[in-house]
């Protein structure tokens, strides 16, 4: 089923949306259960493909550039340029390469008690030179760029259980942004640093840190009080300090200084608070407000009981109010605000400036979607599909036989996709020229992932690598990882090289 707020697909029995944190009402669960049997077979196939792709994607790590940053926990680590780690056919553990693609460490983990090779996958190194490795027993370990395993094995690492609310929820196993990791064994969660030291321990759950230095701490011990489910949430820093008391019914992180909370005593009220607990704004609503981050700003949209949606800035000032139910997204540069969905097809789709002024009015018959990094607004209608440049308001469109699906950009890139009437996924570049990916089309399903303007599209063996404009960089990738202007690719034939991800030109190569 789909979340009523962000429209991401979620589990039928989920009580919370793992993407935006929205509470799923009982009537929605009942409706989803009625239709679940019709879609079970299709989603089972898609789920298998997603798992296969994650295994391939997370099967290798990418490089970390020269770092000399001091983390918030006081650990200083210099990282050599372009350190790459990946599982290899003739290695017990994994190989670590330098910037010249030369092996500097091999068979990592072979001497560690409890570590079972070969490596299943390894994440990218973070700026402190630490990556997450999973062995064949599905235990997770930390390894540094010198090839040393620096932690014990954990059942989970940098992932949260399904159903936890808030934008911190994550299913991918990745290296951390700020040098700390969440891990669990049995019924305990741990916060560990870049040397493997335990900073904090709890019987609850610490959600994975992302770009912030704070995250949500959930206390499960309270669920046993008087036999009632009463999980309490607070905020913890990356040094293990609790800065927001563990007492809230709902809590999500906006940034390091601001949080959205709901208390048990006020089920119909959400508040935006600061680090000291002071209320900035309070909103009468029974659904969590939606947060939209841009390069420089944060916008919060919420719908009240009267069906009015208001967009606030981080200071609690009202930027925009519309008389209908929706949630707002923001363009990457923060110039435009646009509705994520419309409940009523008779409503006109309007794109606003960040100051709340009408910038673009769309036709009622069109289905509008995601804005990409170039401020292109995707749309679909019965005559075809295309995009509208919000800067010039010029439209680019080609006719195409449509079904119930829609055209949309893959995340922030200029690569678009639709599902045609034969159930095949069709991809288009920035010029709306069809990208020929035959094995993907014949499968009828695909898996895509976008990172640093690189798109990965799964096929029968390996996957395609496309840049942000839809140019094919590799048709036979086994591992591919992007960073800044370059992308590392290892193909199924064993060939490995560095590419300029915009031009596709080979920078370095290892045969």
């Amino acid at each position: 089923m789909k979340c009523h707020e962000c429209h991401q697909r979620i589990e039928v029995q989920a009580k919370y949306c793992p993407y935006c944190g929205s509470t799923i009402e009982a009537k929605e669960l009942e409706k989803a259960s009625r239709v679940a049997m019709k879609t079970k077979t299709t989603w089972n196939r898609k789920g298998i493909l997603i798992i296969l792709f994650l295994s391939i994607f997370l099967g290798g790590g990418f490089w970390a550039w020269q770092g000399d940053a001091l983390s918030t926990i006081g650990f200083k680590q210099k990282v050599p340029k372009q350190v790459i780690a990946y599982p290899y056919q003739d290695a017990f553990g994994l190989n670590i390469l330098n910037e010249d693609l030369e092996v500097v460490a091999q068979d990592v983990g072979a001497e560690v008690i409890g570590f079972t090779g070969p490596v299943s996958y390894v994440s990218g190194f973070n700026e402190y030179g630490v990556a997450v490795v999973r062995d064949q027993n599905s235990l997770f370990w930390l390894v540094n760029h010198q090839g040393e395993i620096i932690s014990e094995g954990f059942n989970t690492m940098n992932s949260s259980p399904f159903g936890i609310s808030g934008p911190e929820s994550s299913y991918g196993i990745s290296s951390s942004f700020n040098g700390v990791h969440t891990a669990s064994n049995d019924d305990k969660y741990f916060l560990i640093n870049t040397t493997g030291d335990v900073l904090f321990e709890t019987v609850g759950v610490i959600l994975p840190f992302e770009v912030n230095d704070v995250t949500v701490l959930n206390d499960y011990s309270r669920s046993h009080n008087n036999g009632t489910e009463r999980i309490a949430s607070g905020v913890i820093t990356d040094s293990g300090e609790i800065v927001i008391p563990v007492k809230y019914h709902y809590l999500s992180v906006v940034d390091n200084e601001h949080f959205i909370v709901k208390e048990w005593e006020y089920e119909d009220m959400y508040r935006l608070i600061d680090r000291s607990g002071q209320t900035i704004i309070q909103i009468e609503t029974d659904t969590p407000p939606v947060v939209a981050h841009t390069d420089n700003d944060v916008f919060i949209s919420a719908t009240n009981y009267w069906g009015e949606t208001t967009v606030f800035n981080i200071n609690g000032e009202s930027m925009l109010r519309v008389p209908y139910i929706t949630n707002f997204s923001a363009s990457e540069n923060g110039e435009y605000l646009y509705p994520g969905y419309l409940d009523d097809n008779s409503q006109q789709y309007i794109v606003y400036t960040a100051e709340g002024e009408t910038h673009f009015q769309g036709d009622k018959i069109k289905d509008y979607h995601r804005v990409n990094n170039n401020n292109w607004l995707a749309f679909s209608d019965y005559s075809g599909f295309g995009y509208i440049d919000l800067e010039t308001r010029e439209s680019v469109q080609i006719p195409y036989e449509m079904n119930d699906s829609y055209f949309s950009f893959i995340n922030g890139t200029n690569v678009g996709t639709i599902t045609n009437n034969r159930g095949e996924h069709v991809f288009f570049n920035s010029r709306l020229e069809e990208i020929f990916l035959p094995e993907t089309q014949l499968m009828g399903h695909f898996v895509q992932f976008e990172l640093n303007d690189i798109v990965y599209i799964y096929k029968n063996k390996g996957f395609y690598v496309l840049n942000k404009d839809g140019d094919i960089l590799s048709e036979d990738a086994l591992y591919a990882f992007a960073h800044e202007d370059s992308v590392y690719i290892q193909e199924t034939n064993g060939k490995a090289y560095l590419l300029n991800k915009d031009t596709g030109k080979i920078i370095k190569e290892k045969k």
Side-chain angles (χ1 to χ4, degrees):
M1 76 184 202
K2 288 186 177 180
C3 171
H4 64 279
E5 286 297 323
C6 67
H7 296 273
Q8 295 278 2
R9 290 194 179 274
I10 60 177
E11 292 288 339
V12 172
Q13 298 301 326
K15 295 181 180 179
Y16 299 92
C17 173
Y19 299 95
C20 70
S22 298
T23 301
I24 308 302
E25 302 294 339
K27 61 183 180 180
E28 294 177 83
L29 295 176
E30 181 182 353
K31 180 180 178 181
S33 297
R34 290 198 301 267
V35 301
M37 294 303 297
K38 296 181 181 181
T39 59
K40 183 176 180 180
T41 302
T42 300
W43 281 103
N44 280 347
R45 290 199 301 265
K46 185 173 284 188
I48 292 171
L49 288 174
I50 291 174
I51 293 172
L52 287 173
F53 173 75
L54 287 176
S55 297
I56 292 174
F57 170 70
L58 294 172
F62 58 95
W63 50 90
W65 294 88
Q66 179 75 21
D68 192 17
L70 186 64
S71 79
T72 56
I73 58 175
F75 179 74
K76 195 173 184 180
Q77 172 84 26
K78 286 188 175 181
V79 181
K81 282 187 177 181
Q82 265 174 246
V83 177
I84 306 167
Y86 62 92
Y88 204 69
Q89 294 176 355
D90 59 356
F92 173 84
L94 58 106
N95 289 346
I96 298 179
L97 282 65
N98 62 18
E99 60 182 329
D100 295 317
L101 302 183
E102 299 170 336
V103 176
V104 296
Q106 191 172 13
D107 288 342
V108 172
E111 304 298 327
V112 176
I113 298 176
F115 187 94
T116 305
V119 165
S120 176
Y121 62 75
V122 56
S123 74
F125 283 100
N126 62 22
E127 61 182 308
Y128 306 101
V130 177
V132 178
V133 175
R134 188 179 76 174
D135 67 13
Q136 288 299 303
N137 281 337
S138 296
L139 291 179
F140 297 93
W141 310 72
L142 292 182
V143 58
N144 64 24
H145 66 280
Q146 297 171 330
E148 302 169 329
I149 290 186
I150 57 176
S151 75
E152 64 175 290
F154 291 96
N155 293 328
T156 66
M157 188 173 289
N158 296 351
S159 62
S160 61
F162 184 82
I164 294 298
S165 63
E168 303 79 17
S169 299
S170 174
Y171 296 103
I173 308 303
S174 62
S175 59
S176 67
F177 285 89
N178 53 348
V180 293
H181 306 263
T182 61
S184 72
N185 273 331
D186 300 324
D187 59 347
K188 290 185 178 180
Y189 256 74
F190 306 91
L191 182 64
I192 55 179
N193 64 14
T194 51
T195 59
D197 300 321
V198 175
L199 302 175
F200 188 84
E201 179 180 322
T202 178
V203 294
V205 169
I206 309 171
L207 296 188
F209 285 77
E210 293 193 356
V211 295
N212 298 305
D213 297 331
V214 295
T215 192
V216 174
L217 170 65
N218 292 291
D219 182 1
Y220 278 178
S221 64
R222 300 189 178 217
S223 64
H224 302 294
N225 292 342
N226 301 322
T228 59
E229 291 288 335
R230 195 175 175 89
I231 300 172
S233 299
V235 174
I236 187 173
T237 69
D238 60 3
S239 61
E241 175 191 2
I242 297 178
V243 295
I244 298 294
V246 184
K247 67 176 186 178
Y248 291 102
H249 175 38
Y250 171 92
L251 194 152
S252 66
V253 175
V254 177
D255 57 26
N256 287 322
E257 302 294 331
H258 302 88
F259 316 97
I260 295 175
V261 299
K262 180 170 72 170
E263 299 178 67
W264 290 96
E265 294 76 14
Y266 303 98
E267 287 292 321
D268 57 351
M269 182 74 68
Y270 285 84
R271 294 188 294 134
L272 174 67
I273 66 173
D274 60 21
R275 195 183 263 244
S276 67
Q278 295 296 313
T279 298
I280 299 173
I281 53 173
Q282 58 184 25
I283 307 165
E284 294 184 5
T285 180
D286 57 359
T287 57
V290 176
V291 179
H293 289 268
T294 71
D295 290 339
N296 301 306
D297 299 298
V298 177
F299 298 96
I300 302 167
S301 62
T303 302
N304 62 24
Y305 290 108
W306 300 274
E308 298 174 332
T309 302
T310 304
V311 180
F312 304 92
N313 64 18
I314 198 65
N315 298 318
E317 300 168 337
S318 176
M319 311 299 295
L320 170 67
R321 177 173 293 178
V322 296
Y324 50 81
I325 300 172
T326 186
N327 56 49
F328 277 90
S329 299
S331 61
E332 187 175 84
N333 60 5
E335 291 186 11
Y336 305 111
L337 301 171
Y338 58 97
Y341 68 98
L342 297 175
D343 272 358
D344 188 348
N345 290 333
S346 66
Q347 293 170 346
Q348 190 169 33
Y349 192 93
I350 301 177
V351 177
Y352 301 88
T353 66
E355 293 73 31
E357 302 293 331
T358 298
H359 177 78
F360 168 79
Q361 295 183 343
D363 298 332
K364 298 177 182 178
I365 61 172
K366 284 187 172 65
D367 196 0
Y368 295 92
H369 304 287
R370 175 188 307 273
V371 171
N372 70 2
N373 292 345
N374 284 355
N375 290 330
W376 296 350
L377 172 65
F379 70 86
S380 308
D381 61 21
Y382 292 109
S383 63
F385 63 84
Y387 63 84
I388 297 166
D389 188 332
L390 292 178
E391 302 291 343
T392 63
R393 297 181 178 83
E394 295 180 353
S395 176
V396 179
Q397 181 176 6
I398 62 173
Y400 202 91
E401 184 180 0
M402 300 293 293
N403 59 1
D404 293 336
S405 297
Y406 57 82
F407 169 74
S408 184
F409 293 110
I410 297 178
N411 292 337
T413 68
N414 296 331
V415 180
T417 179
I418 67 167
T419 304
N420 64 22
N421 286 335
R422 297 183 298 276
E424 301 166 339
H425 285 276
V426 185
F427 302 91
F428 298 85
N429 61 21
S430 58
R431 299 175 295 279
L432 292 185
E433 300 167 339
E434 185 172 340
I435 306 171
F436 186 57
L437 306 176
E439 293 184 48
T440 302
Q441 291 185 9
L442 289 174
M443 288 179 61
H445 293 280
F446 77 101
V447 178
Q448 57 84 12
F449 185 85
E450 181 268 342
L451 176 68
N452 292 337
D453 295 329
I454 294 293
V455 178
Y456 310 92
I457 300 174
Y458 176 76
K459 60 178 185 176
N460 189 36
K461 182 180 179 182
F463 55 93
Y464 296 97
V465 182
L466 281 63
N467 67 12
K468 65 180 180 180
D469 291 319
D471 302 317
I472 299 176
L473 300 181
S474 176
E475 298 182 358
D476 193 29
L478 183 61
Y479 313 120
F481 303 94
H483 184 79
E484 296 183 356
D485 297 327
S486 304
V487 57
Y488 165 73
I489 295 177
Q490 182 184 351
E491 297 190 333
T492 56
N493 59 12
K495 180 181 177 182
Y497 47 87
L498 296 177
L499 292 178
N500 180 298
K501 67 181 180 182
D502 291 327
T503 65
K505 182 179 179 180
I506 295 178
I507 302 172
K508 292 175 183 177
E509 183 175 0
K510 180 178 177 63
K511 297 183 179 179

